[in-house]
C-alpha cells in the first residue's frame, strides 16, 4: 500500500493526495459523538461548517453539511451542544484538507445524557471506585488547601472567605481553570493531578457554582473521576447547588453541598476551637481553685476547734474539773458532817430522854441487885441481900433488913 | 513538695488531724495523752497548710502571669 519514493524519484503531490484520498475513503461513513465547538452558518452559503470536538481529549475535526441537515435538529443546534453525527470523511485534494460530510446530526438529549451518566456511574461503582473504605479522612488542620475553581468565581470567593474567617492562618494553593465547556475536563484533571503531587497540599477542594446538566457534565467525566480516585490527597467535591450530584461527588472523599460548606469541612473554626479550649481551661482552674479553697476552709475550721486553738482548754478544763470535784467533795463532806452532828444530837437527846437522870433528879432512885438487874419486885431481893442504889447525885450500897 | 515516708500526704495528714480533734473533744484521755495529741494536731495542721500553700504556688506558676484571673 505504501508508495515507494525516494529523493531521486519523488512522488508527485497529486499522487500523494490521491493516495491519501483513497485511504481516507476506506474509513467509510461512521457515527461520531462529540461537542459542537464552533458553528458557522452564512446565509445563502451552500454548506454549513462546524467544528466537532472530542468530549474528553483536546482534539477536533471540521464537519460540513447541507443547511437542511442542521435545520432538522430539534432543539436547534447550538455551540456547546453534544451531538451524534453520521458522517463520511472527505479529503479535499485541492488543498489537502480533511473534513467530514455529515448526513445526519442528532443532538444528544438530556434523557440520553442522564442515561449515559447513570450507566457510567454504575460501571465505575462496580469497579469499587465509590467504596466507603476508600474514603480518606480530612486532616484536622491542613497546611495548604488545594483549590480548583473557575476564574474569579463566586465559588472561589465563598471557599476562601469562609475558610479565612474560620481560621485566618489558612493557606490556599489555587488553580483557576475552565469549569465549563470543552476545556473543563482536561484543565480540572490536570490541576487536580498537579495539586495531588504537591507534598504540602493536605486537601484538595474542587468547586464551581450552579449550572445546567451540560455545564456540570465535565465533573462526571470518567477521566476526571479516575484521576480523583487515584489521588493520595483527600478530595472535597463542592459542585453546583445542594441538589446537583455529579459523579465527582461519589468518588471524592467528602462531598460538600456548597462552596461555603466545603470551607466548613476543610478548616476547623479556630475561633470556636480557641473558645472551647479557653472554656475548658478556666473550668479546670476554677475546679482546682474550688478544691483548694474547700480544703483551706476545712483546715481553718479544724484549727479553730477549741482543743487546738486554745490548748489551755485542756488544762483549764481539767482544772475546773478538779475544782469542781473538790467543791463537790467538800460539800459532800460538810453535808455528811452536818448530818453526823445532827445524828449525834439526836441520839444524845434520845439517850438523855431514855436515861433515868431526869427521873432521878425528881427524887427517884434506881435499885439494882448484885447481878445488875433492876429490882422491880421487892420480894426479889432476899433478906440481907446487897443492892446498889443510884440517886441523882451518885450511888451507894444498901442491905435488905428483914 | 512530695509525700515522703515521714511526711504524710495531704489526705493522710487531714484524716489523722480529724481523728486527733475527735479524740481530744471526746476527752477521756489522760492529761499527758491529750497534750501529746494536741502537739500532734499542731504538726499535722502545719503539714496540711504546707501542702495547700505549695499547691497554690504550683497553680499560680502553671497559670502564668499572663492569664486573666478568673
Amino acid at each position: 500500500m505504501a508508495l515507494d519514493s525516494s529523493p531521486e524519484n519523488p512522488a508527485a503531490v497529486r499522487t500523494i493526495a490521491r493516495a491519501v484520498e483513497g485511504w481516507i475513503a476506506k474509513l467509510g461513513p461512521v457515527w461520531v459523538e462529540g461537542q459542537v465547538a464552533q458553528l458557522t452558518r452564512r446565509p445563502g452559503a451552500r454548506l454549513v461548517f462546524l467544528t466537532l470536538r472530542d468530549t474528553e481529549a483536546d482534539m477536533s475535526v471540521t464537519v460540513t453539511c447541507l443547511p437542511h441537515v442542521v435545520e432538522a435538529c430539534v432543539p436547534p443546534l447550538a455551540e456547546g451542544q453534544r451531538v451524534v453525527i453520521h458522517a463520511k470523511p472527505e479529503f479535499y485534494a485541492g488543498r489537502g484538507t480533511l473534513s467530514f460530510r455529515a448526513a445526519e446530526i442528532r443532538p444528544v438529549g438530556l434523557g440520553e445524557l442522564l442515561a449515559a451518566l447513570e450507566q457510567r456511574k454504575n460501571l465505575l461503582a462496580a469497579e469499587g471506585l465509590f467504596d466507603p473504605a476508600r474514603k480518606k479522612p480530612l486532616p484536622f488542620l491542613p497546611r495548604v488547601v488545594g483549590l480548583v475553581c473557575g476564574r474569579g468565581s463566586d465559588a472561589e470567593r465563598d471557599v476562601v472567605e469562609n475558610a479565612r474567617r474560620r481560621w485566618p492562618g489558612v493557606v490556599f494553593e489555587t488553580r483557576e481553570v475552565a469549569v465549563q465547556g470543552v476545556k473543563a475536563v482536561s484543565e480540572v484533571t490536570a490541576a487536580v493531578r498537579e495539586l495531588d503531587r504537591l507534598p504540602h497540599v493536605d486537601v484538595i477542594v474542587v468547586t464551581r457554582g450552579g449550572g445546567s446538566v451540560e455545564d456540570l457534565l465535565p465533573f462526571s467525566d470518567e477521566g476526571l473521576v479516575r484521576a480523583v480516585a487515584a489521588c493520595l490527597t483527600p478530595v472535597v467535591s463542592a459542585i453546583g447547588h445542594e441538589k446537583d450530584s455529579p459523579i465527582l461527588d461519589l468518588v471524592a472523599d467528602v462531598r460538600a453541598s456548597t462552596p461555603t460548606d466545603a470551607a466548613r469541612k476543610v478548616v476547623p473554626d479556630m475561633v470556636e476551637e480557641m473558645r472551647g479550649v479557653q472554656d475548658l481551661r478556666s473550668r479546670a482552674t476554677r475546679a482546682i481553685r474550688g478544691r483548694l479553697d474547700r480544703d483551706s476552709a476545712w483546715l481553718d475550721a479544724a484549727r479553730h476547734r477549741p482543743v487546738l486553738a486554745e490548748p489551755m482548754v485542756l488544762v483549764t478544763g481539767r482544772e475546773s474539773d478538779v475544782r469542781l470535784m473538790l467543791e463537790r467533795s467538800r460539800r459532800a463532806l460538810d453535808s455528811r458532817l452536818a448530818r453526823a452532828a445532827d445524828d449525834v444530837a439526836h441520839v444524845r437527846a434520845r439517850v438523855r430522854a431514855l436515861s433515868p437522870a431526869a427521873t432521878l433528879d425528881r427524887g427517884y432512885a434506881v435499885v439494882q441487885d448484885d447481878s445488875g438487874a433492876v429490882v422491880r419486885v421487892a420480894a426479889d431481893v432476899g433478906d440481907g441481900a446487897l443492892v446498889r442504889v443510884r440517886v441523882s447525885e451518885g450511888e451507894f450500897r444498901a442491905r435488905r433488913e428483914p | 513538695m512530695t509525700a515522703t515516708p515521714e511526711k504524710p500526704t495531704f489526705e493522710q495528714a487531714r484524716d489523722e488531724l480529724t481523728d486527733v480533734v475527735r479524740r481530744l473533744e471526746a476527752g477521756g484521755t489522760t492529761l499527758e495523752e491529750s497534750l501529746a495529741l494536741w502537739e500532734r494536731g499542731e504538726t499535722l495542721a502545719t503539714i496540711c497548710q504546707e501542702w495547700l500553700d505549695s499547691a497554690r504556688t504550683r497553680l499560680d506558676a502553671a497559670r502564668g502571669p499572663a492569664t486573666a484571673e478568673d
Side-chain angles (χ1 to χ4, degrees):
Chain A
M1 185 44 205
L3 279 163
D4 40 22
S5 64
S6 62
E8 293 71 30
N9 97 62
V13 167
R14 60 186 176 285
T15 327
I16 303 292
R18 234 176 258 113
V20 166
E21 188 174 23
W23 294 331
I24 287 179
K26 274 206 175 47
L27 179 61
V30 282
W31 283 93
V32 183
E33 183 196 12
Q35 192 169 21
V36 176
Q38 218 182 352
L39 182 59
T40 44
R41 297 169 58 180
R42 275 189 296 283
R46 200 176 62 76
L47 283 176
V48 172
F49 289 83
L50 61 91
T51 326
L52 190 68
R53 265 187 57 71
D54 183 272
T55 52
E56 289 164 24
D58 201 356
M59 295 176 202
S60 59
V61 289
T62 312
V63 173
T64 59
C65 64
L66 297 173
H68 73 82
V69 170
V70 168
E71 276 124 26
C73 293
V74 171
L77 201 58
E79 283 184 0
Q81 174 97 50
R82 283 181 77 117
V83 291
V84 169
I85 67 168
H86 191 229
K88 178 157 66 52
E90 272 180 354
F91 182 67
Y92 183 57
R95 281 205 309 289
T97 56
L98 166 71
S99 72
F100 282 72
R101 169 58 68 93
E104 191 187 344
I105 297 180
R106 291 188 194 167
V108 174
L110 197 55
E112 286 88 356
L113 260 185
L114 292 179
L117 262 183
E118 201 52 36
Q119 202 238 340
R120 184 182 310 156
K121 194 183 291 185
N122 299 336
L123 179 76
L124 294 173
E127 274 182 49
L129 251 62
F130 309 148
D131 286 357
R134 288 174 54 89
K135 305 292 182 200
K136 295 181 278 300
L138 297 189
F140 175 69
L141 213 55
R143 286 166 296 175
V144 171
V145 177
L147 181 58
V148 178
C149 55
R151 283 180 191 75
S153 62
D154 292 349
E156 174 181 5
R157 200 191 63 250
D158 285 353
V159 174
V160 172
E161 272 177 18
N162 279 289
R164 198 146 280 149
R165 190 178 316 122
R166 291 167 68 83
W167 177 34
V170 67
V171 173
F172 279 97
E173 184 74 44
T174 307
R175 293 295 178 274
E176 291 189 338
V177 294
V179 286
Q180 198 169 306
V182 292
K183 292 216 178 322
V185 172
S186 50
E187 288 189 6
V188 171
T189 308
V192 167
R193 284 215 178 89
E194 189 218 337
L195 290 174
D196 183 33
R197 273 197 302 280
L198 297 179
H200 50 283
V201 170
D202 293 335
V203 67
I204 300 172
V205 177
V206 182
T207 185
R208 66 147 286 160
S212 68
V213 174
E214 280 91 356
D215 295 339
L216 302 187
L217 220 47
F219 297 93
S220 295
D221 175 82
E222 186 171 343
L224 172 58
V225 168
R226 288 190 187 287
V228 167
C231 275
L232 300 180
T233 320
V235 172
V236 175
S237 157
I239 305 299
H241 302 309
E242 175 71 38
K243 60 176 176 37
D244 298 323
S245 179
I247 300 183
L248 184 66
D249 279 0
L250 301 174
V251 72
D253 297 291
V254 166
R255 175 202 185 260
S257 52
T258 60
T260 308
D261 184 35
R264 199 173 301 122
K265 287 198 156 77
V266 289
V267 161
D269 186 337
M270 288 316 273
V271 173
E272 200 47 45
E273 297 294 335
M274 282 315 296
R275 192 176 308 126
V277 165
Q278 200 52 36
D279 177 43
L280 288 175
R281 192 174 172 182
S282 54
R283 269 169 46 199
T285 308
R286 263 201 307 283
I288 182 77
R289 202 174 293 286
R291 162 71 193 270
L292 282 183
D293 293 345
R294 265 198 315 284
D295 288 340
S296 307
W298 171 84
L299 183 57
D300 288 347
R303 275 192 152 141
H304 284 100
R305 299 292 268 270
V307 286
L308 286 183
E310 303 101 14
M312 284 316 289
V313 152
L314 298 175
V315 177
T316 49
R318 278 186 169 55
E319 227 168 15
S320 55
D321 292 353
V322 166
R323 204 173 308 112
L324 201 65
M325 293 303 169
L326 207 56
E327 270 155 36
R328 273 170 51 192
S329 51
R330 196 168 290 137
R331 264 205 311 281
L333 213 58
D334 291 350
S335 62
R336 188 165 305 163
L337 287 178
R339 249 201 332 281
D342 291 351
D343 290 354
V344 165
H346 181 64
V347 167
R348 179 177 295 129
R350 278 186 53 221
V351 164
R352 199 165 287 133
L354 290 173
S355 76
T359 325
L360 297 184
D361 290 351
R362 288 203 299 278
Y364 288 93
V366 175
V367 176
Q368 289 174 290
D369 59 16
D370 46 21
S371 68
V374 171
V375 175
R376 287 184 180 79
V377 176
D380 289 350
V381 174
D383 292 349
L386 202 65
V387 292
R388 207 166 124 213
V389 177
R390 284 183 198 226
V391 290
S392 169
E393 299 279 340
E395 60 178 66
F396 56 88
R397 290 175 164 292
R399 191 175 295 290
R400 179 173 177 146
E401 295 292 323
Chain B
M1 179 154 158
T2 54
T4 55
E6 310 74 35
K7 169 150 321 154
T9 66
F10 174 76
E11 281 68 22
Q12 286 161 338
R14 180 193 61 192
D15 295 345
E16 196 184 335
L17 180 51
T18 312
D19 181 54
V20 159
V21 168
R22 188 180 47 73
R23 282 161 63 192
L24 277 174
E25 286 185 339
T29 50
T30 65
L31 180 56
E32 179 48 36
E33 269 170 4
S34 46
L35 278 179
L37 271 177
W38 173 77
E39 275 156 2
R40 181 61 185 156
E42 278 303 306
T43 317
L44 288 167
T46 315
I47 292 172
C48 288
Q49 190 58 55
E50 278 163 11
W51 274 111
L52 290 175
D53 294 343
S54 110
R56 278 200 201 289
T57 21
R58 273 168 61 188
L59 178 62
D60 294 338
R63 299 238 341 112
T67 50
E69 213 28 65
D70 25 63

